[in-house]
Structure formats: structure tokens, C-alpha cells
Amino acid sequence: MAGNRTFTMIKPDAVESKNIGNILQMITDAGFSIKAMKLTQLTVEQAKKFYEVHSERPFYMELVEYMTSGPIVAAILEKDNAMADFRTLIGATDPAEAAPNTIRAKYAESKAKNAVHGSDSDENAAIECAFHFSDAEIVG
Ligand code: CMP
């Protein structure tokens, strides 16, 4: 069985610091298959919609500004237990609190510029995959 899916973005800070390759290596080494992937730059409208759940938070506009500040890599990942295992691989939101050898411990700059996104539930994973990819863009 192929497993289930989660959604990730390599965020503008990690693209800027030339860590796309290092992060994708960690993802595939951890057993995830990439089912869809693209380099893109979010519009303000897209970022606001994607982070709508955070719209009441004080950092919302900072988050939208940051996420639209440069290119990101969006991808759909597949593995057994994909959502939870990917959250383990990326580590805590704040890199200062992220476990050693997690993506954020290695590559994130700060709580805001934290290198990668990972869906926080299977329900949100499905919504986020569909937000960024059509069925025709997903392999297998
Ligand atoms: P993520 O968990 O992927 O999705 C929500 C994002 O909001 C989070 O990553 C951070 O990039 C950002 N974020 C969370 N907390 C803060 C904060 N206190 N200040 C600025 N940005 C934050």
C-alpha cells in the first residue's frame, strides 16, 4: 500500500539559503515519495487564503508578507502515516525548540522564517494539496 499524503512547502528563507536540495534529500531519505512538486511564488491573495486560520493572530500580516517575499517549493508527499511522520521530521515551529537533526533544527532561521511547512492534520493535508495542485499534476 502506497500510504497517505501530506503537503509541504519549502519556505522563502530556505530557498534563499540554497537549501532546497538538502531539504528534499532529508525528505526522501526519511522514506517519503514526492507525488507532485513545483517552484512558485505565492500571491498575497493566495497566502492570505492559505493561512486564513491564522488571520486573527498578531503575526498574520508578517506571515503573509514573508511567504510572498520569494519563491517557495510546494510538494505533495506520500508515506504511511505521512502527516504525523512529516511533523516529526520537520521539528517544532521554533527552531530553538526543534529536536536535533530535524529539518528546522538544521535549516530554519527563526519561529517565523522556519524553513518548511507541514500540514497539521489529515483533513488539512487534503485541503492544502488541493489548494496547490490539480489531480493532473499528481503522479501515480
Ligand atoms: P507553520 O507552522 O508552517 O504555519 C504557521 C506559521 O506561522 C508558522 O509555520 C510560522 O512560519 C508562522 N509563525 C508562527 N508563530 C509565529 C510568530 N510568533 N511570529 C511570526 N510568525 C509565526
Side-chain angles (χ1 to χ4, degrees):
M1 115 129 192
N4 62 356
R5 291 174 179 177
T6 192
F7 174 76
T8 187
M9 290 184 284
I10 300 176
K11 297 185 179 185
D13 61 297
V15 174
E16 170 76 21
S17 60
K18 306 191 195 309
N19 285 314
I20 294 176
N22 291 326
I23 291 170
L24 291 177
Q25 189 71 56
M26 283 185 73
I27 289 171
T28 51
D29 283 350
F32 292 88
S33 331
I34 299 169
K35 306 303 287 185
M37 184 161 67
K38 66 180 141 194
L39 179 77
T40 184
Q41 187 156 352
L42 299 178
T43 64
V44 169
E45 193 180 29
Q46 283 176 311
K48 279 185 165 172
K49 188 149 190 280
F50 188 86
Y51 286 111
E52 210 161 25
V53 294
H54 297 303
S55 62
E56 301 304 318
R57 304 281 198 97
F59 58 80
Y60 179 61
M61 281 319 297
E62 181 194 335
L63 176 61
V64 168
E65 201 173 304
Y66 158 60
M67 286 302 297
T68 57
S69 67
I72 58 134
V73 174
I76 296 176
L77 307 176
E78 193 170 88
K79 183 183 179 297
D80 287 342
N81 204 32
M83 185 281 294
D85 283 2
F86 191 66
R87 293 197 48 102
T88 302
L89 180 66
I90 67 181
T93 304
D94 185 344
E97 290 165 16
N101 296 316
T102 56
I103 294 175
R104 285 172 171 159
K106 291 175 86 151
Y107 301 117
E109 286 179 31
S110 65
K111 196 170 186 177
K113 298 183 174 182
N114 64 356
V116 278
H117 168 83
S119 306
D120 63 5
S121 66
D122 286 334
E123 188 191 2
N124 281 340
I127 292 168
E128 292 172 1
C129 289
F131 185 91
H132 285 274
F133 294 98
S134 67
D135 286 347
E137 292 175 298
I138 304 170
V139 300

